Amino acid sequence: AEALRLHEQALAMQRQALPDGHADIAATLNNMGTVHGQQGAHAEALRLFEQALNMRRQALPDGHPSIASTLKN
């Protein structure tokens, strides 16, 4: 619960400071998906991974390691 709370705080700050679709926002969404998955909330984890993947595909060049990292989740 604490990890998610901290990720949510970070995400709120990033959304205020960074442009929509920024790769750092995608990284936080990806991390939140991991936490949800570890807690057994698989549907929420999948939703967050899909958001992260879409952002990373728009923000990063094809073949970027961060895209591959999200795909393996």
Side-chain angles (χ1 to χ4, degrees):
E2 179 68 9
L4 272 178
R5 187 181 68 74
L6 295 173
H7 283 306
E8 288 167 356
Q9 285 180 352
L11 183 61
M13 292 199 265
Q14 289 171 326
R15 286 195 163 145
Q16 287 181 355
L18 301 171
D20 289 340
H22 193 279
D24 288 350
I25 295 172
T28 300
L29 291 169
N30 190 71
N31 292 341
M32 290 172 69
T34 299
V35 173
H36 277 287
Q38 291 170 343
Q39 294 179 345
H42 301 293
E44 181 63 11
L46 180 59
R47 186 184 72 78
L48 291 164
F49 288 142
E50 288 173 346
Q51 283 184 30
L53 181 60
N54 289 336
M55 280 188 190
R56 284 179 165 173
R57 283 185 166 154
Q58 291 178 5
L60 302 170
D62 288 342
H64 192 281
S66 291
I67 295 171
S69 174
T70 303
L71 284 170
K72 74 178 178 133
N73 289 326

